[in-house]
Amino acid sequence: MEPRMNISVIITVYNLEKYIEDCLNSVLRQEGVVFEVICVDDVSTDSSFDILCDYQKRDARVKVIRNNRNMGLSSTRNAGFRMAKGEYLYSIDGDDMLEQGALKRMYECAKANGLDMLGFSAQSFFESDSYREHAIEDEYLRKADCNSIQNGTELFVNLYEKGEPVISNMCLYCIRSEFFNRNNLFDAEGLRYVDDSMFLKYAKAQRAMCIPDVLYKRRYREGSAVTSPMKKIYLESMLVLFIEEFSYWKQMENQLENHENEVISLYFQRRLQEIDSTFHMF
C-alpha cells in the first residue's frame, strides 16, 4: 500500500530552461514528507519541456503535463491543482527554489494545527544588482507576530494593520486540498498574468496562520513578470480579481465586525489606487 500523499507541489513552467533544474533539484531534495511534483509546461519554445521529461524518467515523484496551447499562468496552475492528490497543495514558480526542509516544515505545521492555510516568509535574491530596483530585498519577510491560529478574515485584518504582505505571491502559502476544492479556489481561467491577491482564500479559511520561517527563495531575473515592463495583461488580472474579491466582501460584510469592515475597506481602496496607477502607465 502506497503511503498517503502529504503534499502536491505544482510547478508552472514557460521557457525556463536556465532555471528549471535549480527549482526541481530544490524540491526533490526535500526530506521527511511524502510528496509528488506536478510540472505543467505552458508550451515552452525552449528546452524546458525536454528537461521536465528527463526528470520524469529519472524520478517517479515527477509528473509532467503540457497544455495543448499556450494558456497563461492561471490556467496552467489550475491544470496542476486538478491533477493533485496530496492532502495539501503548494505551488512554486519554475524559476524559484525551496529552502532545505521547507516541505516538512509546511506540512507538519499545517497538519498539527489543522490549518486550511499556512503562510510563511521568503528571501529574495537577484541575478544582478540592476534588478534590485524592482523589489525591496526583505519584502517577503514576515516580521509581525501572527503565528497563532485565527480564522482567515481575522488574520487578514491583523496582517494588513501591521503592514504585513497580504497580496503577495501564492508561492508563500500551503493550502489544504479539501478546503481549496470545496471553496473552488482555482484561479480565474485564461488570465495571462496572475495577480496573486489572496483575499478570497483568507476570507474563506476557518483556521489560518502565518509563520516567520523563510521557506522560499524568490528569484529576480531578466524577463520575469516582475522585472518586465508593465503590460495590459497585468491590468486585466488586477481588474478581474478586484471584482471577484469585492463582490465576495459585499456578500459577507454583514457578518463581520465594524473594525474588520473598516480595514477591509481600506484594503480595497488601496487596490483601486494600484489599478488606477497601473492604468495611467499606458
Side-chain angles (χ1 to χ4, degrees):
M1 183 176 179
E2 292 185 3
R4 184 177 186 183
M5 193 73 66
N6 299 145
I7 299 183
S8 293
V9 180
I10 292 88
I11 304 179
T12 53
V13 181
Y14 178 69
N15 289 353
L16 296 176
E17 62 182 4
K18 288 177 58 179
Y19 311 102
I20 187 57
E21 291 188 72
D22 286 345
C23 178
L24 278 166
N25 291 338
S26 78
V27 175
L28 293 174
R29 74 184 180 193
Q30 300 290 314
E31 298 177 343
V33 64
V34 181
F35 64 93
E36 63 180 349
V37 184
I38 302 172
C39 305
V40 190
D41 181 73
D42 195 20
V43 194
S44 295
T45 58
D46 64 3
S47 64
S48 295
F49 182 65
D50 293 333
I51 294 170
L52 295 176
C53 290
D54 182 58
Y55 271 81
Q56 181 176 230
K57 291 175 184 176
R58 293 188 279 122
D59 195 315
R61 294 173 296 180
V62 179
K63 301 171 179 64
V64 178
I65 56 178
R66 196 181 202 198
N67 294 336
N68 294 325
R69 56 184 175 83
N70 182 264
M71 300 177 69
L73 180 55
S74 66
S75 297
T76 299
R77 189 186 278 166
N78 286 343
F81 285 143
R82 292 191 179 97
M83 186 176 175
K85 297 179 180 178
E87 186 179 358
Y88 283 84
L89 302 172
Y90 178 63
S91 175
I92 179 173
D93 294 336
D95 52 353
D96 295 334
M97 293 181 285
L98 287 180
E99 294 284 1
Q100 183 64 39
L103 291 184
K104 185 174 186 288
R105 174 63 171 141
M106 284 181 213
Y107 179 74
E108 289 185 346
C109 183
K111 183 70 173 176
N113 292 289
L115 302 180
D116 294 323
M117 184 170 74
L118 172 69
F120 44 85
S121 292
Q123 182 65 60
S124 300
F125 68 103
F126 305 86
E127 283 195 335
S128 74
D129 287 340
S130 62
Y131 301 130
R132 293 179 184 275
E133 66 184 82
H134 298 285
I136 302 170
E137 194 158 356
D138 63 350
E139 66 178 319
Y140 297 121
L141 294 178
R142 299 189 181 278
K143 305 175 185 68
D145 180 12
C146 291
N147 58 348
S148 59
I149 301 170
Q150 302 172 63
N151 74 50
T153 301
E154 292 172 344
L155 180 58
F156 182 92
V157 168
N158 288 338
L159 289 170
Y160 194 79
E161 285 189 301
K162 295 175 180 178
E164 292 284 296
V166 292
I167 311 173
S168 55
N169 202 305
M170 190 168 172
C171 300
L172 302 183
Y173 298 89
C174 179
I175 300 175
R176 188 163 60 91
S177 296
E178 189 278 332
F179 161 72
F180 182 96
N181 291 316
R182 173 167 42 85
N183 288 284
N184 192 28
L185 294 174
F186 294 91
D187 294 329
E189 290 284 344
L191 296 180
R192 309 303 300 176
Y193 166 84
V194 179
D195 177 31
D196 285 339
S197 183
M198 300 293 294
F199 177 77
L200 278 179
K201 296 175 180 63
Y202 275 103
K204 295 186 178 185
Q206 294 300 308
R207 295 175 66 85
M209 178 191 293
C210 284
I211 56 177
D213 305 50
V214 176
L215 305 182
Y216 186 67
K217 298 170 74 172
R218 180 80 164 90
R219 186 195 304 265
Y220 283 84
R221 62 173 178 86
E222 182 180 6
S224 71
V226 175
T227 60
S228 298
M230 182 61 70
K231 300 175 182 178
K232 292 181 180 179
I233 55 174
Y234 302 171
L235 180 61
E236 175 193 31
S237 173
M238 295 173 76
L239 287 168
V240 168
L241 290 175
F242 179 88
I243 293 169
E244 183 180 46
E245 292 184 342
F246 187 81
S247 298
Y248 186 75
W249 173 49
K250 299 310 287 183
Q251 294 174 30
M252 65 181 288
E253 65 175 332
N254 289 337
Q255 306 168 32
L256 302 179
E257 301 291 336
N258 288 339
H259 178 66
E260 291 175 327
N261 280 319
E262 289 171 1
V263 174
I264 293 172
S265 177
L266 291 174
Y267 161 76
F268 281 112
Q269 290 176 43
R270 180 178 175 185
R271 294 288 282 167
L272 273 178
Q273 291 171 358
E274 292 170 347
I275 291 170
D276 182 68
S277 177
T278 301
F279 177 79
H280 285 94
M281 295 179 71
F282 303 112

